[in-house]
Amino acid sequence: MKGLAIAGVCKSFGPHPVLRGIDLVVPDGSLTAILGPSGSGKTTLLRIIAGFERPDEGQVRLGSQIVDDAGDEWVPTERRRIGYVPQEGALFPHLSVGRNVAFGLERGQRKGDRVNELLELVGLTGLARRYPHQLSGGQQQRVALARALATDPEIVLLDEPFSSLDASLRASVRADVHDVLRLARTTAVLVTHDQDEALSMADKVAVLRDGVIGQVDTPSALYGLPRDAGLAQFLGEANLLEGTVSGQLVTTALGTSELASWGGWVNGSLPSTTARILVRPEQVVLSADEADGVPGVVRSYEYFGHDAVVRVQPSAGVGLPELVVRITGGQPWTPGSRVGLKVLGAVVAWPLEENLPSTPE
């Protein structure tokens, strides 16, 4: 077996539990994002994988080797073949780019072709003699990645690596880093609080909340089929409505839709029951004819270039909260405009009460 396997990892600091029974498998050659808000325990988990912290319980395995079993079995950080990219890059300011990249190499390898190969891999050919202060923030992060890859590690750990970059740089730098990791065929774990970062880069995303993994899945499944309403709200804008589930159909004040998932289970269904319904902003369709769907009034319009967000208040008596609608192209919607609202596509539902079946249907 290659890759990373974490089983039953728990960690407390004094009386405060930080991680509570973490199970996670990162397949060889894949990139898994650990996504969570501040205080969720994601950095502590990364530090345990790296060997900077030890778990109170559980096991960490890298490839076929147990590197920590919370007991006598423990492999020091320097022997784990781990590459680490911290938040700020943490380059040595007094060393050139080439010497930064070569820092972890054996002395005999430092003057060979390895450094130039790595700089070419990260798109920094010809910059070996520059110093960190002569580089942009994005270039510094790519040097940090090259340094992490220099020793041919089993796994690369990235700790909020783009958080210090300007918003305009983040998308391009994370695309570069993603491409480099793919070309190097390196197993990687990315820790982040940024949903866009996790969903755009990772093969799988593990959402960590209060020391517990709430769901591990592909980005599309996490966004489209979240296990609960809290996850839905954490992973982007969410319109949460009350409705009724009957068989494979869901009825809300916006009309009838197909059921995509019940209680986190795809294709599950129950006899008629009240439920909380997820309608993503891009599922709501606006019409200039208020008779074409549920009538409402535009409250605000925000244009972002690639798309726009419209907030619409359904008419009195409909019994719906203000809805968030995401649109691409088309005309701007002026506040005060009267519109019609409909739902496009299948929706996710969760029971209002604890009435889940014992097994998926």
Side-chain angles (χ1 to χ4, degrees), residues 197-216:
E197 205 168 280
L199 295 176
S200 66
M201 289 188 68
D203 300 302
K204 286 198 172 181
V205 179
V207 181
L208 192 60
R209 300 179 298 181
D210 299 321
V212 177
I213 291 180
Q215 188 172 349
V216 182

Side-chain angles (χ1 to χ4, degrees), residues 28-249:
D28 182 46
S30 69
L31 192 159
T32 293
I34 301 172
L35 174 65
S38 298
S40 61
K42 58 187 186 296
T43 297
T44 298
L45 180 57
L46 196 75
R47 290 177 61 81
I48 287 173
I49 297 169
F52 302 149
E53 299 278 357
R54 298 204 64 190
D56 300 328
E57 299 176 32
Q59 184 186 94
V60 179
R61 182 187 292 269
L62 283 174
S64 60
Q65 183 181 25
I66 296 173
V67 295
D68 201 335
D69 67 356
D72 296 333
E73 193 74 42
W74 183 69
V75 177
T77 300
E78 64 272 15
R79 289 174 45 207
R80 293 193 184 189
R81 293 193 62 199
I82 285 177
Y84 184 72
V85 180
Q87 287 187 24
E88 305 290 338
L91 301 179
F92 301 112
H94 62 290
L95 297 182
S96 67
V97 165
R99 292 177 66 191
N100 263 284
V101 172
F103 184 79
L105 295 173
E106 298 290 337
R107 188 176 296 274
Q109 297 178 295
R110 294 178 184 177
K111 293 185 179 180
D113 294 330
R114 181 63 174 158
V115 170
N116 289 331
E117 290 172 358
L118 287 162
L119 289 176
E120 182 179 357
L121 179 66
V122 299
L124 296 176
T125 302
L127 301 186
R129 294 189 177 184
R130 292 195 184 181
Y131 284 83
H133 72 272
Q134 297 174 306
L135 305 179
S136 68
Q139 289 174 323
Q140 290 181 29
Q141 283 302 94
R142 283 187 275 166
V143 173
L145 179 59
R147 183 176 62 186
L149 292 170
T151 57
D152 193 22
E154 289 273 349
I155 189 168
V156 171
L157 307 179
L158 302 106
D159 186 7
E160 303 267 10
F162 314 112
S163 61
S164 63
L165 300 179
D166 293 339
S168 59
L169 270 179
R170 285 178 200 158
S172 62
V173 174
R174 70 187 180 217
D176 291 342
V177 169
H178 181 269
D179 290 346
V180 169
L181 291 171
R182 285 286 178 270
L183 287 170
R185 298 181 181 178
T186 302
T187 308
V189 174
L190 166 71
V191 159
T192 181
H193 67 276
D194 187 315
Q195 295 94 330
D196 291 341
E197 205 168 280
L199 295 176
S200 66
M201 289 188 68
D203 300 302
K204 286 198 172 181
V205 179
V207 181
L208 192 60
R209 300 179 298 181
D210 299 321
V212 177
I213 291 180
Q215 188 172 349
V216 182
D217 220 322
T218 62
S220 60
L222 265 180
Y223 183 79
L225 302 169
R227 189 169 292 166
D228 58 53
L231 278 168
Q233 291 175 304
F234 182 64
L235 291 162
E237 292 274 11
N239 296 301
L240 297 177
L241 316 177
E242 193 166 319
T244 302
V245 176
S246 181
Q248 292 294 317
L249 296 178

